[in-house]
Amino acid sequence: MSPGAKKRVLIFIVAYHAETTIVEVVRRIPAPLLEEYDFELLIIDDSSQDQTFALSYKLSRQTEAPFKIHVLYNPKNQGYGGNQKLGYRYAIEHGFDIVALLHGDGQYAPECLPELLKPAASGAAAAVFGSRLLTPRSALKGGMPLYKYVGNRILTRIENYLLRTSLSEFHSGYRIYTVDALRRIPFELNSNGFHFDTEIIIQLVIAKLAIAELPIPTYYGDEICRVNGIPYAMNVVKACLHARLQEWSLFYDRRYDCGQKTFSRYRPKFSFESTHTAALDLVPEHSKVLELGCATGYMALALRDKKGCRVTGVDKYSICEDSFDEFHRRDLNASLADVPIEANDYVLLLDVIEHLSSPEALLEELRGRLGRAELIVSTANVAFLATRIMLLAGQFNYGGRGILDLTHTRLFTF
């Protein structure tokens, strides 16, 4: 986008049986927004059986409308989350910078759009939520039923605890997203139901994308609530628990695999009895060591600092190169013909063979070239208690790290 050009904003209205409110919602969108943004309106009617689509389409044909209005109709009901997927995909494919979600029932005030758009437009936040709970008791004064207020508070506290966040409200449907943020998270894997809103918050948190909250007025009219409270609450808590378990590598779901990809998942294990402490004990002082598959170089540093060893590293990535006396950037799935294997006293192959496409080929090459060197090999213990419990529960989920690391190609018994 050229300097000084207006941000392209898509105002996206989800509408279902909104014939009595949709026209007024559109008319309340502040026309002065056109001075700051190049914006268009998208209305998606989710298979309503009333006049919602007809009235929306009529609005789109009015020549005096100050902004473009696009109207789509779902021949089959897609659900609240399903409609959001359609709207956000539309925003991505049509080159918008920001998308603002409104509801066709008028529960969220379009007049708040100018303030809500500012943090996203300035780059201060990837997502902006209109919160009904930021201002004390304003939600109750605005007509939110007491049971909904209490339920919202309790659920939000549970979600904040599980996700280690501090949002005032998880359950407002008034949302602004930058399209760049939407491109970076797999929102299309989320539920088609109402807990889509919680799942997308989880994705933003995992991806470390900034979320801002601003107060909005609460309005409850005669609109029909279509959220079944108990199943919704259970789905929300379940989503947060899944995300937390995935953080501990006890569960895996692609929708929550949206964090930054780093090598930090390979962590040194010197603070307790482990393959790392065993390998360190087995290597005598001042030995020449060849380490195949180096992670971030923590083993090499321990061998050099504690044992005075000379360590040569071999890995397809060079992020750990500075930890070694000598380093060869090689893919262990290919030949190591030019790597001086024979010149070493010990060869370390720690938690590596399960990552290889053909570990037999590497082991066969090492067998013919080890000479006097000793080979120290470790691999994941598939009888680990946590793995057994997962199997007992019918789960066999590969994750970001641990025994069922996504990069593993196979598992081994002793």
Side-chain angles (χ1 to χ4, degrees):
M1 186 170 66
S2 60
K6 294 180 180 179
K7 296 276 189 181
R8 294 196 67 213
V9 175
L10 178 69
I11 298 174
F12 164 42
I13 298 180
V14 176
Y16 182 66
H17 288 175
E19 64 180 2
T20 62
T21 54
I22 189 65
V23 173
E24 186 63 22
V25 168
V26 172
R27 287 177 177 166
R28 287 170 60 192
I29 295 173
L33 282 173
L34 285 170
E35 298 174 9
E36 294 185 56
Y37 307 101
D38 175 11
F39 85 85
E40 299 176 18
L41 177 64
L42 170 66
I43 301 172
I44 298 184
D45 178 7
D46 196 22
S47 196
S48 300
Q49 301 305 306
D50 60 5
Q51 294 298 305
T52 299
F53 177 78
L55 292 170
S56 300
Y57 184 74
K58 184 178 179 180
L59 286 171
S60 72
R61 307 304 295 173
Q62 293 178 354
T63 55
E64 68 273 16
F67 44 79
K68 290 182 182 178
I69 301 176
H70 309 278
V71 182
L72 301 178
Y73 178 82
N74 292 328
K76 183 177 180 181
N77 187 280
Q78 299 298 308
Y80 176 64
N83 277 275
Q84 289 194 63
K85 295 176 190 179
L86 293 171
Y88 301 152
R89 176 52 55 190
Y90 183 98
I92 291 172
E93 292 181 353
H94 288 79
F96 287 91
D97 300 302
I98 300 170
V99 56
L101 174 67
L102 276 176
H103 289 198
D105 60 9
Q107 189 176 137
Y108 298 106
E111 293 83 359
C112 295
L113 278 169
E115 285 302 311
L116 291 175
L117 283 167
K118 285 180 181 178
S122 67
V128 186
F129 300 158
S131 172
R132 299 164 294 184
L133 305 184
L134 266 176
T135 304
R137 303 191 66 80
S138 66
L140 291 173
K141 292 177 182 177
M144 181 181 286
L146 181 61
Y147 76 93
K148 285 194 174 185
Y149 176 83
V150 173
N152 193 333
R153 284 288 195 188
I154 292 173
L155 268 183
T156 293
R157 177 167 292 188
I158 292 172
E159 289 166 291
N160 275 324
Y161 175 77
L162 291 173
L163 300 176
R164 298 190 294 279
T165 52
S166 56
L167 295 176
S168 67
E169 181 183 11
F170 272 75
H171 310 289
S172 167
Y174 206 163
R175 305 201 169 191
I176 314 290
Y177 299 105
T178 65
V179 173
D180 180 63
L182 293 173
R183 288 193 187 99
R184 293 168 60 182
I185 59 176
F187 66 87
E188 288 173 308
L189 298 179
N190 291 352
S191 163
N192 284 349
F194 286 97
H195 58 291
F196 175 98
D197 279 351
T198 292
E199 292 173 339
I200 201 169
I201 291 178
I202 293 170
Q203 291 169 333
L204 292 168
V205 170
I206 293 173
K208 299 188 183 331
L209 295 169
I211 300 172
E213 289 187 289
L214 292 174
I216 57 170
T218 303
Y219 169 77
Y220 273 82
D222 56 1
E223 69 275 357
I224 299 174
C225 178
R226 305 184 189 280
V227 181
N228 193 333
I230 299 301
Y232 171 75
M234 292 175 64
N235 284 326
V236 161
V237 174
K238 182 180 176 182
C240 294
L241 282 171
H242 279 182
R244 193 66 184 273
L245 290 173
Q246 182 154 326
E247 182 184 332
W248 296 337
S249 297
L250 297 176
F251 179 87
Y252 181 74
D253 190 320
R254 284 177 56 216
R255 79 189 74 187
Y256 304 134
D257 188 7
C258 49
Q260 295 180 346
K261 301 297 188 293
T262 69
F263 287 86
S264 62
R265 63 186 178 196
Y266 300 116
R267 300 170 182 170
K269 295 177 281 190
F270 295 115
S271 60
F272 55 93
E273 187 175 354
S274 66
T275 54
H276 292 169
T277 57
L280 191 60
D281 290 342
L282 286 170
V283 177
E285 293 183 352
H286 308 298
S287 299
K288 292 181 180 180
V289 181
L290 176 68
E291 185 179 6
L292 303 177
C294 315
T296 52
Y298 45 75
M299 178 58 72
L301 290 174
L303 287 167
R304 293 172 67 185
D305 295 343
K306 297 181 180 181
K307 295 290 187 79
C309 296
R310 185 182 190 282
V311 187
T312 300
V314 179
D315 201 289
K316 68 185 296 186
Y317 304 107
S318 58
I319 58 166
C320 55
E321 189 169 347
D322 293 340
S323 304
F324 295 87
D325 298 287
E326 182 181 339
F327 185 84
H328 299 267
R329 187 171 181 179
R330 299 288 184 277
D331 185 347
L332 296 182
N333 286 309
S335 174
L336 301 178
D338 58 344
V339 176
I341 297 173
E342 302 87 342
N344 296 277
D345 304 310
Y346 290 86
V347 175
L348 303 186
L349 196 62
L350 304 180
D351 297 341
V352 171
I353 59 173
E354 61 267 31
H355 297 267
L356 302 179
S357 59
S358 180
E360 299 89 345
L362 176 64
L363 292 173
E364 190 66 26
E365 182 176 3
L366 290 175
R367 181 185 182 188
R369 297 185 55 201
L370 277 175
R372 60 183 179 83
E374 286 191 27
L375 176 64
I376 299 175
V377 186
S378 69
T379 189
N381 174 15
V382 293
F384 184 53
L385 179 61
T387 307
R388 288 191 175 195
I389 292 173
M390 287 168 60
L391 293 172
L392 183 65
Q395 297 290 328
F396 192 77
N397 293 301
Y398 282 81
R401 60 188 175 90
I403 292 169
L404 298 182
D405 184 328
L406 273 172
T407 62
H408 289 179
T409 62
R410 65 199 69 213
L411 300 173
F412 292 91
T413 63
F414 182 73

